[in-house]
Amino acid sequence: MNDVPGATSSSGVVVHLNDSDPAKHAAVLRNVSNLIDALEPETKIELVVHGPAISLLLPGSPHSETVRALQHRGLAVDACQNTLRGEHILPDRLIPDTVVVPSGIAHLVIRQREGWAYLHP
Amino acid sequence: MNDVPGATSSSGVVVHLNDSDPAKHAAVLRNVSNLIDALEPETKIELVVHGPAISLLLPGSPHSETVRALQHRGLAVDACQNTLRGEHILPDRLIPDTVVVPSGIAHLVIRQREGWAYLHP
Amino acid sequence: MNDVPGATSSSGVVVHLNDSDPAKHAAVLRNVSNLIDALEPETKIELVVHGPAISLLLPGSPHSETVRALQHRGLAVDACQNTLRGEHILPDRLIPDTVVVPSGIAHLVIRQREGWAYLHP
């Protein structure tokens, strides 16, 4: 796919998660796992978590082990600072290696401008 | 970001809204507000409303004041003509300054072809 | 729109469907029908079905006639092999002319890299 104009095999993918439902979290994490399996190893994949989905990254999340395992396979996990502020959540309560971005929703735009694909499963 | 091929800092963003739930409307309007805060002032942002989401733009919508305030901050609001026709809604019942587009779903494609980012929160 | 950099009137559209709800299926198929009506005849439109949405393509789906009619109007329908394997579904049970792609979620990325627009109604 290297000859596609405006895209290379190393273009990234942003995955949008803003749902509070743990069953939805599980489905999206399965999707991310399938993405990692299917795309080239150098493809950057970022899961952008904002709004009520922030529960995925907090203590007590039923999926924290799965998130950690995906991080070890290369997934970057971003949390929205606007959400953290609004919910009075300190960043050090989040799953380790989470990156805090100023605005989750704006980050999804910035990545698309950089040529990344967008998915909202 | 002006050196990203095919994108400039003034590329726009289309936001897709087709849900009837007023709580979802409130969340999406918060997202739009955060986008306006986070992106460059010249960034065009369009909220494309179709299907059951059209209630957001009708008299009795609990969020009409919020929509008006976002319009004053630069948000463009589009309503889908297919939806208006299917629901027998006259355009003059919509929140002022709403732009009627022939097809909301096609408009989201046209904007992406023009290099705009797409979000469906 | 042929003068938009990086896009042509023949760029395609991928439509993402991963919801199990037949009412949602009906709404998305209406959206696809409106897309076909609104965009240029040469525009490629692909409906990518994965996860619990696979029921749309199985015997007993209340919308199989609608899917067939849209296929006759040019819609391509893709089913996710990961989903078929996980649900123990043989491809020959799917609506005729469905194309099986290795990973539905990755296919949505591949098409965006090729310059296609993405919609998740």
Side-chain angles (χ1 to χ4, degrees):
Chain A
M1 270 166 292
N2 281 310
D3 57 344
V4 174
T8 71
S9 62
S10 62
S11 284
V13 183
V14 274
V15 181
H16 190 168
L17 182 60
N18 63 341
D19 196 296
S20 65
D21 180 7
K24 181 75 184 179
H25 295 177
V28 171
L29 296 172
R30 269 196 307 274
N31 291 333
V32 167
S33 177
N34 284 333
L35 266 185
I36 295 172
D37 288 338
L39 297 173
E40 307 81 358
E42 69 270 23
T43 305
K44 295 191 178 87
I45 304 177
E46 276 188 19
L47 180 67
V48 179
V49 179
H50 73 100
I54 201 72
S55 58
L56 172 67
L57 305 178
L58 291 174
S61 164
H63 303 300
S64 52
E65 291 300 317
T66 308
V67 173
R68 290 301 282 158
L70 291 169
Q71 287 176 316
H72 287 121
R73 296 178 63 205
L75 176 70
V77 178
D78 297 334
C80 172
Q81 193 162 49
N82 285 333
T83 300
L84 298 180
R85 206 155 32 211
E87 303 287 326
H88 307 291
I89 296 167
L90 293 176
D92 61 11
R93 295 186 58 215
L94 300 174
I95 282 179
D97 302 319
T98 298
V99 173
V100 178
V101 295
S103 162
I105 197 93
H107 190 71
L108 292 161
V109 171
I110 291 165
R111 288 304 194 206
Q112 288 182 72
R113 287 176 177 177
E114 292 171 349
W116 293 36
Y118 168 86
L119 295 173
H120 192 158
Chain B
M1 269 166 293
N2 280 310
D3 57 344
V4 174
T8 72
S9 62
S10 61
S11 285
V13 184
V14 274
V15 181
H16 190 168
L17 182 61
N18 63 341
D19 196 295
S20 65
D21 180 6
K24 181 73 183 181
H25 295 178
V28 170
L29 295 172
R30 271 196 306 276
N31 291 333
V32 167
S33 177
N34 285 333
L35 265 185
I36 295 172
D37 288 339
L39 297 174
E40 306 83 357
E42 69 270 23
T43 306
K44 295 191 180 86
I45 305 177
E46 277 187 17
L47 181 67
V48 179
V49 179
H50 74 99
I54 201 72
S55 57
L56 172 68
L57 305 178
L58 289 174
S61 163
H63 303 300
S64 52
E65 291 299 317
T66 308
V67 173
R68 289 301 282 158
L70 291 169
Q71 286 176 316
H72 288 122
R73 295 177 64 204
L75 176 69
V77 177
D78 296 335
C80 172
Q81 193 164 47
N82 286 333
T83 301
L84 298 180
R85 209 158 25 214
E87 304 286 326
H88 306 292
I89 296 167
L90 292 176
D92 61 10
R93 295 185 60 214
L94 300 173
I95 282 179
D97 301 320
T98 299
V99 173
V100 177
V101 295
S103 162
I105 198 92
H107 191 70
L108 292 160
V109 171
I110 290 166
R111 288 305 194 206
Q112 289 182 72
R113 286 176 177 178
E114 293 171 347
W116 293 36
Y118 168 86
L119 294 172
H120 192 159
Chain C
M1 266 165 295
N2 281 310
D3 57 346
V4 174
T8 72
S9 62
S10 62
S11 285
V13 183
V14 274
V15 181
H16 189 168
L17 182 61
N18 64 339
D19 195 296
S20 65
D21 180 6
K24 182 75 184 179
H25 295 177
V28 171
L29 295 173
R30 269 195 307 276
N31 291 333
V32 167
S33 177
N34 284 333
L35 265 185
I36 294 173
D37 288 337
L39 296 173
E40 306 81 0
E42 68 271 23
T43 306
K44 295 191 179 88
I45 305 177
E46 277 188 18
L47 181 67
V48 179
V49 180
H50 73 98
I54 201 71
S55 57
L56 172 67
L57 305 179
L58 290 175
S61 163
H63 304 300
S64 53
E65 291 299 317
T66 308
V67 172
R68 288 302 281 158
L70 291 169
Q71 286 176 316
H72 287 121
R73 295 178 64 203
L75 176 70
V77 177
D78 296 335
C80 172
Q81 192 162 50
N82 286 332
T83 300
L84 298 180
R85 208 158 26 214
E87 304 286 327
H88 307 292
I89 296 167
L90 293 177
D92 61 10
R93 293 187 59 215
L94 300 174
I95 282 179
D97 302 319
T98 299
V99 173
V100 177
V101 295
S103 161
I105 198 91
H107 190 71
L108 292 161
V109 171
I110 291 165
R111 288 305 194 204
Q112 289 182 73
R113 287 175 177 178
E114 292 172 347
W116 294 35
Y118 168 86
L119 295 172
H120 192 159

